[in-house]
Amino acid sequence: MTTIVFPTVDPDNPDAEGVVSTWYATDGSAVAVDQLIAEVSVDKASLDVTAPAAGVLHIVVGEGEVARQGAQIATIE
C-alpha cells in the first residue's frame, strides 16, 4: 500500500492546512504512476498531486475537505 499525503507547502509551519479542491480519479479506480489524480489549494496557490505508484485509489479526504500538510489524503493498493 502506498500513502498519498497532502503536499508540504510551508515546512516552517507544520500545522498549515489546505483544501482538496478536485479529485481527477474516483475512489476505487485504477491509476498509473505519475497520473494526475488531484488538485489541492493552499493560500491562493493550487498544487497538482500525482500518483506515486500504480494501483487502485482509495480516497480518504473528499473534495472540499480540509487537510493538514503531510496528512494522508488517499492510498493506492
Side-chain angles (χ1 to χ4, degrees), residues 5-23:
V5 298
F6 197 98
T8 298
V9 179
D10 184 359
D12 295 329
N13 182 6
D15 294 328
E17 295 179 329
V19 175
V20 176
S21 304
T22 305
W23 281 104

Side-chain angles (χ1 to χ4, degrees), residues 32-73:
V33 174
D34 294 330
Q35 176 181 336
L36 178 62
I37 56 172
E39 179 182 89
V40 298
S41 299
V42 180
D43 294 333
K44 300 179 186 176
S46 295
L47 303 166
D48 291 336
V49 178
T50 57
V56 177
L57 179 69
H58 298 285
I59 295 172
V60 175
V61 178
E63 283 187 12
E65 293 183 6
V66 175
R68 181 176 292 166
Q69 66 181 3
Q72 177 180 324
I73 59 170

